[in-house]
């Protein structure tokens, strides 16, 4: 059931386009009563006062590939291991993932490194099996409006990482989050991963403004995936730095032992050395961001006076 809240102070600060639409995503909208959600995975807090990095290969390809990557990213400071076992590929001829075997490898890597695991679930039939092995259930860009999947995730008992559809507005992203929340699961992390625009220099266009907009209108944590946004590894460290500076709660980054030989998304995957350097280079930006964050609890966070154009 959709509840209609009275207009709060927050709403009156937003562009009139957004006012009155909060009833469409009221469960995930930021209010004085509900300013912040912290998603907890073991002792990891996403959306609190730490910047959480999730890293690993695009796809789980083998035990050796995943275990080596898990060790390398853990050593560099990542807390969560990513890796697809079920891969939604644009081409039906591309590598589709190892399925349950991939989930088992992820689980072994968790046991060996202590990293938590995030992996994609593509269909509602797979929710139970993925939830058995994963700590966080990833919804990919191509599935953001798969309502049967979203509803099943509402009952899965695991946090959900909801990626923005590549052609979805932020309002549509928040409505999808609302579907998961309405189905019973308030533990949701939003992810900006780039959207499709006329620009062809990058694989997608990272909508960096999405971060402060989402952080203003929603109480959910927001992370950035610079890898799928950029499509090329050389841009990943710069986009990651931008994510820190605009107040993201974390990153989802592709890392591979030998990017040139990756079965998927090698061109945007970082090598171990590149990932380590990126993590080191982020530190001064995190140092600047975090003392500030600890002092500025909501409602003293940045508030947007307008969103969108004046049309
Ligand atoms: C991924 O994270 O590997 C992935 C397929 O991402 P997206 O759904 O954003 O394309
Ligand atoms: Mn990928």
């Amino acid at each position: 059931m959709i509840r209609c809240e009275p207009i709060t102070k927050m709403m009156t600060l937003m562009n009139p386009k957004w006012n009155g639409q909060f009833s469409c995503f009221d469960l995930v909208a930021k209010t004085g009563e509900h300013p912040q959600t912290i998603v907890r995975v073991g002792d990891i807090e996403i959306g609190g006062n730490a910047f959480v990095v999730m890293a690993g290969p695009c796809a789980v390809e083998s035990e050796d590939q995943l275990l080596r990557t898990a060790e390398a990213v853990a050593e560099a400071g990542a807390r969560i291991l990513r890796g697809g076992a079920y891969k939604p590929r644009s081409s039906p001829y591309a590598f589709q993932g190892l399925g349950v075997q991939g989930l088992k490898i992820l689980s072994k890597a968790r046991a060996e490194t202590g990293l938590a695991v995030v992996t994609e679930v593509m269909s509602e039939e797979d929710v139970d099996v993925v939830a058995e092995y994963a700590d966080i259930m990833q919804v990919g860009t191509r599935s953001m409006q798969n309502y049967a999947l979203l509803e099943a995730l509402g009952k899965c008992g695991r946090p959900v990482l909801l990626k923005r559809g590549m052609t979805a507005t932020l309002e549509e992203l928040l409505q999808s989050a609302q579907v998961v929340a309405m189905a019973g699961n308030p533990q949701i992390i939003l992810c900006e991963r780039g959207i499709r625009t006329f620009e062809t220099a990058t694989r997608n266009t990272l909508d960096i403004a999405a971060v402060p907009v989402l952080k203003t209108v929603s109480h959910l944590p927001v992370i950035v995936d610079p890898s799928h946004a950029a499509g090329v590894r050389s841009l990943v460290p710069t986009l990651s730095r931008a994510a820190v500076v605009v107040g993201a709660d974390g990153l989802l980054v592709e890392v591979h032992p030998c990017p040139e030989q990756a079965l998927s998304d090698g061109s945007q995957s970082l090598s171990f050395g590149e990932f380590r350097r990126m993590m080191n280079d982020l530190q001064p930006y995190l140092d600047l961001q975090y003392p500030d964050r600890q002092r500025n609890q909501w409602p003293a966070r940045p508030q947007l006076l307008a969103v969108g154009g004046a049309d």
Side-chain angles (χ1 to χ4, degrees):
M1 195 184 69
I2 292 174
R3 286 183 289 126
C4 290
E5 296 284 348
I7 289 181
T8 65
K9 186 170 169 235
M10 198 69 201
M11 295 178 193
T12 62
L13 290 169
M14 302 300 296
N15 184 308
K17 269 180 161 177
W18 284 67
N19 289 343
Q21 296 179 0
F22 276 64
S23 57
C24 301
F25 51 84
D26 64 309
L27 292 177
V28 300
K30 181 181 287 193
T31 62
E33 298 74 50
H34 198 165
Q36 183 181 20
T37 287
I38 297 179
V39 171
R40 292 192 168 81
V41 180
D43 67 343
I44 306 166
E45 292 190 346
I46 303 145
N49 281 317
F51 188 80
V52 177
V53 177
M54 314 179 185
C58 177
V60 180
E61 297 169 6
S62 69
E63 189 169 313
D64 177 67
Q65 170 242 20
L66 193 73
L67 292 183
R68 282 170 59 208
T69 310
E71 275 162 27
V73 299
E75 208 177 296
R79 302 292 313 275
I80 300 179
L81 176 64
R82 64 145 291 146
Y86 296 87
K87 294 303 303 173
R89 308 303 307 284
S90 296
S91 162
Y93 301 105
F95 176 58
Q96 306 290 316
L98 297 180
V100 178
Q101 193 199 338
L103 295 176
K104 289 185 176 158
I105 297 173
L106 283 164
S107 170
K108 184 160 186 197
R110 170 180 42 219
E112 295 202 359
T113 59
L115 292 169
V117 165
V118 58
T119 194
E120 178 159 355
V121 54
M122 285 171 59
S123 101
E124 72 265 32
E125 284 100 55
D126 296 330
V127 166
D128 288 345
V129 70
V130 175
E132 206 179 309
Y133 294 97
D135 299 293
I136 304 176
M137 313 284 280
Q138 178 174 324
V139 177
T141 194
R142 295 161 188 81
S143 304
M144 189 205 81
Q145 288 180 317
N146 178 344
Y147 295 108
L149 174 63
L150 299 178
E151 280 172 14
L153 288 169
K155 300 174 188 69
C156 74
R158 300 260 183 230
V160 172
L161 171 55
L162 181 62
K163 290 188 130 189
R164 180 181 184 179
M166 64 181 90
T167 58
T169 64
L170 295 178
E171 187 184 349
E172 288 163 341
L173 172 64
L174 289 165
Q175 286 175 348
S176 289
Q178 171 87 3
V179 173
V180 179
M182 278 175 79
N185 189 354
Q187 293 273 291
I188 304 163
I189 304 157
L190 302 173
C191 180
E192 163 59 37
R193 49 78 73 201
I195 51 176
R196 185 160 283 183
T197 68
F198 53 80
E199 183 54 69
T200 54
T202 48
R203 181 175 177 184
N204 291 282
T205 298
L206 181 65
D207 179 9
I208 200 71
V211 178
V213 170
L214 291 169
K215 296 286 298 177
T216 302
V217 301
S218 172
H219 53 73
L220 297 176
V222 180
I223 68 164
V224 167
D225 171 349
S227 309
H228 291 85
V232 286
R233 74 179 69 91
S234 60
L235 290 176
V236 170
T238 310
L239 298 187
S240 297
R241 213 180 303 143
V244 172
V245 171
V246 295
D249 295 296
L251 293 173
L252 182 71
V253 186
E254 288 186 337
V255 179
H256 194 281
C258 185
E260 296 71 29
Q261 284 169 20
L263 295 183
S264 61
D265 287 350
S267 59
Q268 66 196 32
S269 300
L270 301 180
S271 66
F272 296 166
E274 287 164 339
F275 181 68
R276 205 169 39 241
R277 265 193 303 285
M278 180 184 94
M279 293 291 275
N280 287 338
D281 293 348
L282 284 179
Q283 201 53 55
Y285 296 89
L286 289 167
D287 293 344
L288 278 176
Q289 193 73 8
Y290 276 81
D292 202 46
R293 271 192 154 192
Q294 272 152 9
R295 279 198 305 276
N296 285 347
Q297 292 303 318
W298 192 87
R301 284 178 177 220
Q303 293 181 332
L304 300 190
L305 296 176
V307 178
D311 56 318

